Amino acid sequence: MIAYAPAALFFLLFGIGVLRDRRQFSNAILLGIAVSLLSLAVLAELRKAPTLVVEIAMVAIFLLPTLGTAALIWFLIANGLTMIRKEGRRPANLLSLLAGLGILAVIAMLFVAIAIRSTRLGIVVGTLLLVIGYVSFLFTCFIGYAFLYGRHQPRRDVDFVIVLGSGLIGGERVPPLLASRLNRGREVYEKQAARGNPPVLIASGGQGPDEKLPESHAMADYLVERGFPEEHIEREDRSRTTEENLLFSKAIMEQAKPDYRCVVVTNNFHAFRAALLARQTGVNGHVFGSPTARYYWPSATIREFAAIFLSHKIINFGICGLIALSGLLAAR
């Protein structure tokens, strides 16, 4: 039982963190550490298992990462090509393709190092693998906790439902991505309205340089055209970023009701980062995700993780730099 104590401690810390505020990336890290320690404790217990069980477990430990890596590379490259075909060649649409090719390149370097028996190249590849391992751990923590956070749904009445804007088609029409957010925001509104206490829906989004009207106006028009009561819509039409969406919407809510409660609606891939920003900007509410096309999800998720990674760039680049420095010193 002692082997499970470290995992139990981190699960406890994770639970405390969630109770304090589930909108923290530290919760994701604590959960990732707890699961990792639990896995190591389970592997340690295998020593007591019958020989056949140990042999099967060792084969699985070797095969699963190998097959999983091959499947991941195939999936990322295939998804990247789908993104290019359906969404164009913008840099943001190339992320899954570049990730797949990057992993493939590192594996190729590893085989070359083994083939030519180059110690220096082996150290370079080993250093890259350590950096990738660190980033992959954070990414896995992000994916796992974002999935858990996305299971959260509003259970108490709220005063406001904020729907975050996105770009418009032709500068004036609501695209499917934004329509998904609006439809989910309407669902939240209607469930509460059925209990006799309809909230105010805040359509949040300013006007981009290539747009003919503010996103919030197009969003409000979309809802009204489909029978949503216009008197329950508030337009926030100044914001250009998610952070501004939240800050300007917060000002509207505080002016109307200082002790407000709210729900923020965005797409599921964006929900956890929006929750982190909601905590950072002091918005009193959680984030609720809406469905996204499956092909769009991988690149969008990588982009969201990259934004979170860069928001803690000092510690993350510091750790990656220490790993790279260690590799450099070892190569001398």
Side-chain angles (χ1 to χ4, degrees), residues 70-131:
L72 178 63
I73 292 171
W74 177 85
F75 172 76
L76 289 172
I77 292 176
N79 177 257
L81 295 175
T82 300
M83 282 292 292
I84 292 172
R85 187 174 69 254
K86 293 192 175 185
E87 300 289 336
R89 297 185 180 183
R90 290 185 301 137
N93 297 333
L94 303 176
L95 291 177
S96 57
L97 176 62
L98 293 175
L101 293 175
I103 296 172
L104 196 60
V106 173
I107 293 174
M109 288 174 62
L110 177 60
F111 279 112
V112 169
I114 294 173
I116 65 175
R117 298 181 180 181
S118 171
T119 303
R120 286 193 173 183
L121 182 57
I123 292 173
V124 169
V125 174
T127 303
L128 280 174
L129 289 174
L130 287 175
V131 172

Short mmCIF file of all heavy atoms in Angstrom, two decimals, residues 70-131:
data_model
loop_
_atom_site.label_atom_id
_atom_site.label_comp_id
_atom_site.label_asym_id
_atom_site.label_seq_id
_atom_site.Cartn_x
_atom_site.Cartn_y
_atom_site.Cartn_z
N ALA A 70 2.74 5.12 -34.01
CA ALA A 70 2.48 4.96 -35.45
C ALA A 70 1.08 5.44 -35.80
O ALA A 70 0.88 6.15 -36.80
CB ALA A 70 2.67 3.50 -35.85
N ALA A 71 0.11 5.07 -34.97
CA ALA A 71 -1.28 5.49 -35.22
C ALA A 71 -1.42 7.01 -35.09
O ALA A 71 -2.13 7.65 -35.87
CB ALA A 71 -2.22 4.79 -34.24
N LEU A 72 -0.71 7.58 -34.11
CA LEU A 72 -0.78 9.04 -33.91
C LEU A 72 -0.21 9.78 -35.11
O LEU A 72 -0.79 10.77 -35.58
CB LEU A 72 -0.01 9.41 -32.64
CG LEU A 72 0.06 10.91 -32.31
CD1 LEU A 72 -1.34 11.47 -32.07
CD2 LEU A 72 0.96 11.16 -31.11
N ILE A 73 0.94 9.31 -35.62
CA ILE A 73 1.54 9.95 -36.79
C ILE A 73 0.59 9.91 -37.98
O ILE A 73 0.38 10.92 -38.67
CB ILE A 73 2.88 9.27 -37.14
CG1 ILE A 73 3.92 9.54 -36.04
CG2 ILE A 73 3.40 9.77 -38.49
CD1 ILE A 73 5.18 8.74 -36.19
N TRP A 74 0.03 8.73 -38.22
CA TRP A 74 -0.92 8.59 -39.34
C TRP A 74 -2.12 9.51 -39.17
O TRP A 74 -2.54 10.20 -40.11
CB TRP A 74 -1.39 7.14 -39.44
CG TRP A 74 -2.41 6.93 -40.52
CD1 TRP A 74 -2.19 6.70 -41.84
CD2 TRP A 74 -3.84 6.99 -40.36
NE1 TRP A 74 -3.39 6.61 -42.53
CE2 TRP A 74 -4.41 6.78 -41.64
CE3 TRP A 74 -4.67 7.19 -39.27
CZ2 TRP A 74 -5.79 6.77 -41.85
CZ3 TRP A 74 -6.05 7.18 -39.47
CH2 TRP A 74 -6.58 6.97 -40.74
N PHE A 75 -2.66 9.55 -37.95
CA PHE A 75 -3.85 10.37 -37.69
C PHE A 75 -3.54 11.85 -37.89
O PHE A 75 -4.33 12.58 -38.53
CB PHE A 75 -4.34 10.13 -36.26
CG PHE A 75 -5.44 11.07 -35.84
CD1 PHE A 75 -6.73 10.90 -36.29
CD2 PHE A 75 -5.17 12.13 -34.99
CE1 PHE A 75 -7.74 11.77 -35.91
CE2 PHE A 75 -6.16 13.01 -34.60
CZ PHE A 75 -7.46 12.82 -35.06
N LEU A 76 -2.41 12.33 -37.36
CA LEU A 76 -2.08 13.75 -37.46
C LEU A 76 -1.86 14.18 -38.90
O LEU A 76 -2.34 15.24 -39.33
CB LEU A 76 -0.84 14.06 -36.62
CG LEU A 76 -1.01 14.01 -35.10
CD1 LEU A 76 0.33 14.14 -34.40
CD2 LEU A 76 -1.98 15.10 -34.62
N ILE A 77 -1.13 13.35 -39.66
CA ILE A 77 -0.87 13.70 -41.06
C ILE A 77 -2.17 13.67 -41.87
O ILE A 77 -2.45 14.58 -42.66
CB ILE A 77 0.17 12.75 -41.67
CG1 ILE A 77 1.54 13.01 -41.00
CG2 ILE A 77 0.28 12.95 -43.18
CD1 ILE A 77 2.63 12.05 -41.44
N ALA A 78 -2.99 12.62 -41.66
CA ALA A 78 -4.26 12.52 -42.38
C ALA A 78 -5.17 13.69 -42.03
O ALA A 78 -5.82 14.29 -42.90
CB ALA A 78 -4.94 11.19 -42.06
N ASN A 79 -5.22 14.04 -40.75
CA ASN A 79 -6.06 15.17 -40.34
C ASN A 79 -5.55 16.48 -40.91
O ASN A 79 -6.34 17.35 -41.31
CB ASN A 79 -6.10 15.25 -38.82
CG ASN A 79 -6.89 16.45 -38.32
OD1 ASN A 79 -6.32 17.45 -37.89
ND2 ASN A 79 -8.20 16.36 -38.38
N GLY A 80 -4.21 16.63 -40.96
CA GLY A 80 -3.64 17.85 -41.54
C GLY A 80 -4.02 18.02 -42.99
O GLY A 80 -4.36 19.13 -43.44
N LEU A 81 -3.99 16.93 -43.74
CA LEU A 81 -4.38 16.99 -45.15
C LEU A 81 -5.87 17.31 -45.29
O LEU A 81 -6.27 18.06 -46.19
CB LEU A 81 -4.06 15.66 -45.84
CG LEU A 81 -2.56 15.31 -45.91
CD1 LEU A 81 -2.36 13.93 -46.49
CD2 LEU A 81 -1.81 16.36 -46.74
N THR A 82 -6.69 16.78 -44.38
CA THR A 82 -8.13 17.09 -44.39
C THR A 82 -8.36 18.57 -44.09
O THR A 82 -9.19 19.22 -44.73
CB THR A 82 -8.87 16.23 -43.35
OG1 THR A 82 -8.69 14.85 -43.66
CG2 THR A 82 -10.36 16.55 -43.35
N MET A 83 -7.61 19.09 -43.13
CA MET A 83 -7.74 20.52 -42.79
C MET A 83 -7.39 21.40 -43.98
O MET A 83 -8.06 22.40 -44.26
CB MET A 83 -6.84 20.85 -41.60
CG MET A 83 -7.38 20.41 -40.26
SD MET A 83 -8.84 21.35 -39.74
CE MET A 83 -8.13 22.97 -39.47
N ILE A 84 -6.32 21.05 -44.69
CA ILE A 84 -5.92 21.84 -45.86
C ILE A 84 -7.00 21.80 -46.92
O ILE A 84 -7.34 22.82 -47.54
CB ILE A 84 -4.58 21.32 -46.42
CG1 ILE A 84 -3.45 21.60 -45.43
CG2 ILE A 84 -4.27 21.95 -47.78
CD1 ILE A 84 -2.13 20.95 -45.80
N ARG A 85 -7.56 20.60 -47.13
CA ARG A 85 -8.59 20.45 -48.17
C ARG A 85 -9.87 21.22 -47.83
O ARG A 85 -10.48 21.84 -48.70
CB ARG A 85 -8.91 18.97 -48.35
CG ARG A 85 -9.86 18.69 -49.53
CD ARG A 85 -10.05 17.21 -49.79
NE ARG A 85 -10.79 16.55 -48.72
CZ ARG A 85 -10.26 15.74 -47.83
NH1 ARG A 85 -8.96 15.49 -47.84
NH2 ARG A 85 -11.00 15.17 -46.89
N LYS A 86 -10.25 21.22 -46.54
CA LYS A 86 -11.53 21.82 -46.17
C LYS A 86 -11.42 23.27 -45.69
O LYS A 86 -12.37 24.03 -45.81
CB LYS A 86 -12.20 20.98 -45.08
CG LYS A 86 -12.63 19.60 -45.56
CD LYS A 86 -13.53 18.94 -44.53
CE LYS A 86 -14.07 17.61 -45.05
NZ LYS A 86 -15.05 16.98 -44.14
N GLU A 87 -10.26 23.63 -45.11
CA GLU A 87 -10.15 24.95 -44.50
C GLU A 87 -9.09 25.84 -45.14
O GLU A 87 -8.96 27.01 -44.77
CB GLU A 87 -9.84 24.80 -43.00
CG GLU A 87 -10.89 24.04 -42.21
CD GLU A 87 -12.18 24.82 -42.05
OE1 GLU A 87 -12.13 26.07 -42.11
OE2 GLU A 87 -13.24 24.19 -41.85
N GLY A 88 -8.28 25.29 -46.07
CA GLY A 88 -7.25 26.11 -46.70
C GLY A 88 -5.90 25.95 -46.03
O GLY A 88 -5.75 25.21 -45.05
N ARG A 89 -4.90 26.66 -46.56
CA ARG A 89 -3.52 26.48 -46.10
C ARG A 89 -3.05 27.56 -45.14
O ARG A 89 -1.87 27.89 -45.08
CB ARG A 89 -2.58 26.45 -47.31
CG ARG A 89 -2.85 25.29 -48.24
CD ARG A 89 -1.83 25.21 -49.36
NE ARG A 89 -2.09 24.10 -50.26
CZ ARG A 89 -1.34 23.77 -51.29
NH1 ARG A 89 -0.26 24.49 -51.56
NH2 ARG A 89 -1.65 22.74 -52.06
N ARG A 90 -3.95 28.10 -44.36
CA ARG A 90 -3.54 29.06 -43.34
C ARG A 90 -2.64 28.34 -42.31
O ARG A 90 -2.83 27.17 -42.03
CB ARG A 90 -4.75 29.65 -42.64
CG ARG A 90 -5.56 30.59 -43.53
CD ARG A 90 -6.68 31.25 -42.75
NE ARG A 90 -7.59 30.26 -42.19
CZ ARG A 90 -8.07 30.30 -40.96
NH1 ARG A 90 -7.70 31.26 -40.13
NH2 ARG A 90 -8.92 29.37 -40.52
N PRO A 91 -1.67 29.05 -41.71
CA PRO A 91 -0.75 28.42 -40.75
C PRO A 91 -1.47 27.65 -39.64
O PRO A 91 -1.03 26.56 -39.26
CB PRO A 91 0.03 29.61 -40.19
CG PRO A 91 0.03 30.60 -41.30
CD PRO A 91 -1.31 30.45 -41.98
N ALA A 92 -2.58 28.19 -39.12
CA ALA A 92 -3.30 27.53 -38.03
C ALA A 92 -3.86 26.18 -38.46
O ALA A 92 -4.07 25.30 -37.61
CB ALA A 92 -4.43 28.42 -37.53
N ASN A 93 -4.10 26.01 -39.76
CA ASN A 93 -4.66 24.75 -40.25
C ASN A 93 -3.61 23.69 -40.52
O ASN A 93 -3.93 22.56 -40.88
CB ASN A 93 -5.46 24.99 -41.54
CG ASN A 93 -6.66 25.90 -41.33
OD1 ASN A 93 -7.19 25.96 -40.23
ND2 ASN A 93 -7.07 26.59 -42.37
N LEU A 94 -2.33 24.05 -40.38
CA LEU A 94 -1.23 23.13 -40.67
C LEU A 94 -0.67 22.47 -39.42
O LEU A 94 0.24 21.65 -39.52
CB LEU A 94 -0.10 23.88 -41.38
CG LEU A 94 -0.45 24.59 -42.69
CD1 LEU A 94 0.76 25.34 -43.21
CD2 LEU A 94 -0.96 23.60 -43.74
N LEU A 95 -1.21 22.80 -38.25
CA LEU A 95 -0.60 22.36 -37.00
C LEU A 95 -0.55 20.84 -36.85
O LEU A 95 0.48 20.28 -36.47
CB LEU A 95 -1.34 22.98 -35.80
CG LEU A 95 -1.17 24.50 -35.65
CD1 LEU A 95 -2.01 25.00 -34.49
CD2 LEU A 95 0.29 24.84 -35.43
N SER A 96 -1.66 20.15 -37.13
CA SER A 96 -1.66 18.69 -36.96
C SER A 96 -0.71 18.03 -37.96
O SER A 96 0.00 17.09 -37.64
CB SER A 96 -3.07 18.13 -37.09
OG SER A 96 -3.66 18.47 -38.33
N LEU A 97 -0.68 18.55 -39.19
CA LEU A 97 0.24 18.01 -40.21
C LEU A 97 1.69 18.20 -39.78
O LEU A 97 2.51 17.27 -39.85
CB LEU A 97 -0.01 18.69 -41.55
CG LEU A 97 0.94 18.30 -42.70
CD1 LEU A 97 0.82 16.82 -43.02
CD2 LEU A 97 0.66 19.15 -43.94
N LEU A 98 2.04 19.39 -39.32
CA LEU A 98 3.40 19.67 -38.89
C LEU A 98 3.79 18.83 -37.67
O LEU A 98 4.94 18.38 -37.56
CB LEU A 98 3.56 21.16 -38.57
CG LEU A 98 3.44 22.11 -39.77
CD1 LEU A 98 3.50 23.56 -39.29
CD2 LEU A 98 4.55 21.84 -40.78
N ALA A 99 2.83 18.63 -36.75
CA ALA A 99 3.11 17.79 -35.58
C ALA A 99 3.42 16.36 -35.99
O ALA A 99 4.38 15.74 -35.50
CB ALA A 99 1.92 17.83 -34.61
N GLY A 100 2.63 15.82 -36.91
CA GLY A 100 2.86 14.45 -37.38
C GLY A 100 4.20 14.32 -38.09
O GLY A 100 4.95 13.37 -37.85
N LEU A 101 4.52 15.28 -38.97
CA LEU A 101 5.80 15.24 -39.68
C LEU A 101 6.98 15.43 -38.72
O LEU A 101 8.05 14.84 -38.91
CB LEU A 101 5.82 16.32 -40.77
CG LEU A 101 4.84 16.11 -41.94
CD1 LEU A 101 4.89 17.31 -42.88
CD2 LEU A 101 5.15 14.82 -42.69
N GLY A 102 6.78 16.25 -37.69
CA GLY A 102 7.84 16.48 -36.71
C GLY A 102 8.18 15.20 -35.94
O GLY A 102 9.36 14.88 -35.74
N ILE A 103 7.14 14.49 -35.50
CA ILE A 103 7.37 13.22 -34.80
C ILE A 103 8.08 12.23 -35.71
O ILE A 103 9.02 11.54 -35.31
CB ILE A 103 6.04 12.63 -34.30
CG1 ILE A 103 5.40 13.57 -33.26
CG2 ILE A 103 6.26 11.25 -33.69
CD1 ILE A 103 3.99 13.16 -32.86
N LEU A 104 7.65 12.19 -36.96
CA LEU A 104 8.26 11.28 -37.94
C LEU A 104 9.74 11.63 -38.15
O LEU A 104 10.59 10.74 -38.25
CB LEU A 104 7.49 11.37 -39.27
CG LEU A 104 7.72 10.26 -40.29
CD1 LEU A 104 7.34 8.91 -39.72
CD2 LEU A 104 6.92 10.55 -41.55
N ALA A 105 10.04 12.92 -38.19
CA ALA A 105 11.43 13.36 -38.40
C ALA A 105 12.32 12.95 -37.22
O ALA A 105 13.47 12.51 -37.43
CB ALA A 105 11.47 14.87 -38.59
N VAL A 106 11.82 13.08 -35.99
CA VAL A 106 12.62 12.70 -34.82
C VAL A 106 12.88 11.20 -34.82
O VAL A 106 14.00 10.75 -34.52
CB VAL A 106 11.89 13.13 -33.53
CG1 VAL A 106 12.63 12.58 -32.30
CG2 VAL A 106 11.83 14.65 -33.44
N ILE A 107 11.86 10.41 -35.17
CA ILE A 107 12.05 8.95 -35.23
C ILE A 107 13.08 8.59 -36.31
O ILE A 107 13.94 7.72 -36.10
CB ILE A 107 10.70 8.25 -35.51
CG1 ILE A 107 9.77 8.43 -34.31
CG2 ILE A 107 10.91 6.77 -35.81
CD1 ILE A 107 8.37 7.92 -34.52
N ALA A 108 13.01 9.28 -37.45
CA ALA A 108 13.99 9.03 -38.52
C ALA A 108 15.40 9.36 -38.05
O ALA A 108 16.36 8.61 -38.33
CB ALA A 108 13.63 9.87 -39.75
N MET A 109 15.55 10.46 -37.31
CA MET A 109 16.87 10.84 -36.77
C MET A 109 17.38 9.76 -35.81
O MET A 109 18.58 9.46 -35.78
CB MET A 109 16.79 12.19 -36.07
CG MET A 109 16.62 13.38 -36.99
SD MET A 109 16.37 14.91 -36.08
CE MET A 109 17.92 15.02 -35.17
N LEU A 110 16.48 9.19 -35.03
CA LEU A 110 16.87 8.16 -34.08
C LEU A 110 17.42 6.93 -34.81
O LEU A 110 18.47 6.39 -34.44
CB LEU A 110 15.66 7.76 -33.22
CG LEU A 110 15.89 6.63 -32.21
CD1 LEU A 110 16.97 7.00 -31.20
CD2 LEU A 110 14.58 6.29 -31.49
N PHE A 111 16.73 6.52 -35.88
CA PHE A 111 17.18 5.37 -36.65
C PHE A 111 18.53 5.65 -37.33
O PHE A 111 19.40 4.77 -37.41
CB PHE A 111 16.13 4.96 -37.69
CG PHE A 111 15.02 4.12 -37.11
CD1 PHE A 111 13.74 4.62 -37.01
CD2 PHE A 111 15.28 2.84 -36.67
CE1 PHE A 111 12.73 3.85 -36.47
CE2 PHE A 111 14.26 2.04 -36.13
CZ PHE A 111 12.98 2.56 -36.02
N VAL A 112 18.69 6.89 -37.81
CA VAL A 112 19.96 7.26 -38.44
C VAL A 112 21.09 7.21 -37.42
O VAL A 112 22.19 6.70 -37.70
CB VAL A 112 19.86 8.67 -39.07
CG1 VAL A 112 21.24 9.17 -39.50
CG2 VAL A 112 18.92 8.65 -40.26
N ALA A 113 20.83 7.72 -36.21
CA ALA A 113 21.85 7.72 -35.16
C ALA A 113 22.27 6.30 -34.81
O ALA A 113 23.46 6.02 -34.60
CB ALA A 113 21.31 8.43 -33.91
N ILE A 114 21.29 5.39 -34.76
CA ILE A 114 21.61 3.99 -34.47
C ILE A 114 22.38 3.35 -35.63
O ILE A 114 23.35 2.61 -35.43
CB ILE A 114 20.30 3.20 -34.19
CG1 ILE A 114 19.64 3.72 -32.90
CG2 ILE A 114 20.59 1.71 -34.08
CD1 ILE A 114 18.28 3.14 -32.64
N ALA A 115 21.94 3.68 -36.86
CA ALA A 115 22.56 3.07 -38.05
C ALA A 115 24.02 3.47 -38.21
O ALA A 115 24.88 2.64 -38.54
CB ALA A 115 21.76 3.44 -39.29
N ILE A 116 24.32 4.75 -37.98
CA ILE A 116 25.69 5.22 -38.18
C ILE A 116 26.50 5.22 -36.88
O ILE A 116 27.66 5.63 -36.85
CB ILE A 116 25.72 6.63 -38.80
CG1 ILE A 116 25.12 7.67 -37.84
CG2 ILE A 116 24.98 6.66 -40.12
CD1 ILE A 116 25.23 9.10 -38.34
N ARG A 117 25.83 4.81 -35.78
CA ARG A 117 26.48 4.71 -34.47
C ARG A 117 27.11 6.04 -34.05
O ARG A 117 28.26 6.09 -33.57
CB ARG A 117 27.51 3.60 -34.46
CG ARG A 117 26.93 2.23 -34.73
CD ARG A 117 27.98 1.15 -34.69
NE ARG A 117 27.40 -0.16 -34.95
CZ ARG A 117 28.09 -1.30 -34.96
NH1 ARG A 117 29.40 -1.27 -34.71
NH2 ARG A 117 27.49 -2.45 -35.20
N SER A 118 26.33 7.10 -34.23
CA SER A 118 26.81 8.44 -33.87
C SER A 118 26.37 8.79 -32.44
O SER A 118 25.17 8.91 -32.18
CB SER A 118 26.27 9.48 -34.85
OG SER A 118 26.55 10.79 -34.41
N THR A 119 27.34 8.91 -31.55
CA THR A 119 27.01 9.24 -30.16
C THR A 119 26.41 10.63 -30.05
O THR A 119 25.43 10.85 -29.34
CB THR A 119 28.27 9.16 -29.28
OG1 THR A 119 28.83 7.85 -29.39
CG2 THR A 119 27.94 9.44 -27.83
N ARG A 120 27.02 11.59 -30.77
CA ARG A 120 26.52 12.97 -30.69
C ARG A 120 25.10 13.10 -31.21
O ARG A 120 24.25 13.76 -30.61
CB ARG A 120 27.45 13.90 -31.45
CG ARG A 120 28.77 14.16 -30.74
CD ARG A 120 29.52 15.31 -31.35
NE ARG A 120 30.70 15.64 -30.57
CZ ARG A 120 31.51 16.65 -30.85
NH1 ARG A 120 31.27 17.43 -31.91
NH2 ARG A 120 32.56 16.89 -30.09
N LEU A 121 24.85 12.49 -32.36
CA LEU A 121 23.50 12.54 -32.91
C LEU A 121 22.52 11.83 -31.97
O LEU A 121 21.39 12.28 -31.79
CB LEU A 121 23.45 11.90 -34.30
CG LEU A 121 22.08 11.93 -35.02
CD1 LEU A 121 21.59 13.36 -35.16
CD2 LEU A 121 22.18 11.26 -36.38
N GLY A 122 22.99 10.74 -31.36
CA GLY A 122 22.15 10.04 -30.39
C GLY A 122 21.79 10.93 -29.21
O GLY A 122 20.65 10.92 -28.73
N ILE A 123 22.76 11.72 -28.73
CA ILE A 123 22.50 12.63 -27.61
C ILE A 123 21.53 13.73 -28.03
O ILE A 123 20.62 14.10 -27.28
CB ILE A 123 23.83 13.24 -27.10
CG1 ILE A 123 24.68 12.16 -26.44
CG2 ILE A 123 23.55 14.37 -26.12
CD1 ILE A 123 26.07 12.61 -26.05
N VAL A 124 21.72 14.25 -29.27
CA VAL A 124 20.80 15.27 -29.79
C VAL A 124 19.37 14.73 -29.85
O VAL A 124 18.41 15.38 -29.40
CB VAL A 124 21.25 15.76 -31.18
CG1 VAL A 124 20.15 16.62 -31.82
CG2 VAL A 124 22.54 16.54 -31.08
N VAL A 125 19.24 13.52 -30.38
CA VAL A 125 17.91 12.90 -30.48
C VAL A 125 17.35 12.63 -29.09
O VAL A 125 16.15 12.87 -28.83
CB VAL A 125 17.97 11.60 -31.30
CG1 VAL A 125 16.62 10.90 -31.29
CG2 VAL A 125 18.38 11.89 -32.74
N GLY A 126 18.20 12.15 -28.19
CA GLY A 126 17.75 11.90 -26.82
C GLY A 126 17.25 13.17 -26.14
O GLY A 126 16.24 13.16 -25.43
N THR A 127 17.98 14.26 -26.38
CA THR A 127 17.57 15.55 -25.82
C THR A 127 16.23 16.00 -26.40
O THR A 127 15.34 16.46 -25.67
CB THR A 127 18.64 16.63 -26.11
OG1 THR A 127 19.89 16.20 -25.57
CG2 THR A 127 18.25 17.95 -25.49
N LEU A 128 16.08 15.84 -27.72
CA LEU A 128 14.80 16.17 -28.35
C LEU A 128 13.67 15.34 -27.78
O LEU A 128 12.57 15.84 -27.53
CB LEU A 128 14.90 15.94 -29.87
CG LEU A 128 15.58 17.02 -30.70
CD1 LEU A 128 15.71 16.56 -32.14
CD2 LEU A 128 14.78 18.32 -30.63
N LEU A 129 13.95 14.05 -27.55
CA LEU A 129 12.90 13.17 -27.00
C LEU A 129 12.52 13.58 -25.59
O LEU A 129 11.34 13.50 -25.21
CB LEU A 129 13.39 11.72 -27.01
CG LEU A 129 13.49 11.06 -28.40
CD1 LEU A 129 14.12 9.68 -28.28
CD2 LEU A 129 12.10 10.97 -29.04
N LEU A 130 13.48 14.06 -24.80
CA LEU A 130 13.17 14.53 -23.45
C LEU A 130 12.29 15.79 -23.50
O LEU A 130 11.34 15.92 -22.73
CB LEU A 130 14.46 14.81 -22.68
CG LEU A 130 15.25 13.59 -22.21
CD1 LEU A 130 16.57 14.02 -21.57
CD2 LEU A 130 14.42 12.76 -21.22
N VAL A 131 12.64 16.71 -24.41
CA VAL A 131 11.83 17.92 -24.57
C VAL A 131 10.43 17.55 -25.04
O VAL A 131 9.42 18.05 -24.51
CB VAL A 131 12.49 18.90 -25.56
CG1 VAL A 131 11.55 20.06 -25.88
CG2 VAL A 131 13.80 19.43 -25.00
#
